Amino acid sequence: LERRQHLGILEKKKDYQKRSKNFHQKDSIIRKLGLKAQLRNPDEFYHKMHSAKMRDGEHQITLKGK
């Protein structure tokens, strides 16, 4: 037991389930946002376009601080 004491308290099943559920929820949200970004209309106007420039055929957003 002393050899494993540096690992701390072991994770219980309920803690793992909570952590796993949280991870999968975040993962699904990221996937949905990625799909939404893929399906958006590139010809539609967005206010952030004022600060965007085209470089090598791709839109690059320039930040004011940089």
Side-chain angles (χ1 to χ4, degrees), residues 30-47:
I30 290 173
R31 273 191 268 118
K32 286 178 187 175
L33 288 175
L35 180 64
K36 186 176 179 181
Q38 287 177 354
L39 295 177
R40 82 180 179 120
N41 184 0
D43 297 329
E44 193 173 336
F45 177 77
Y46 294 97
H47 289 284

Side-chain angles (χ1 to χ4, degrees), residues 1-2 5-7 9 15 20-21 27-29 31 33 37-38 47 54 56-58 63 66:
L1 291 173
E2 290 181 20
Q5 197 163 13
H6 69 280
L7 298 174
I9 299 172
D15 297 329
S20 176
K21 183 179 177 184
D27 192 42
S28 68
I29 289 171
R31 273 191 268 118
L33 288 175
Q38 287 177 354
H47 289 284
M54 289 287 282
D56 301 326
E58 291 186 11
L63 300 175
K66 294 183 180 181

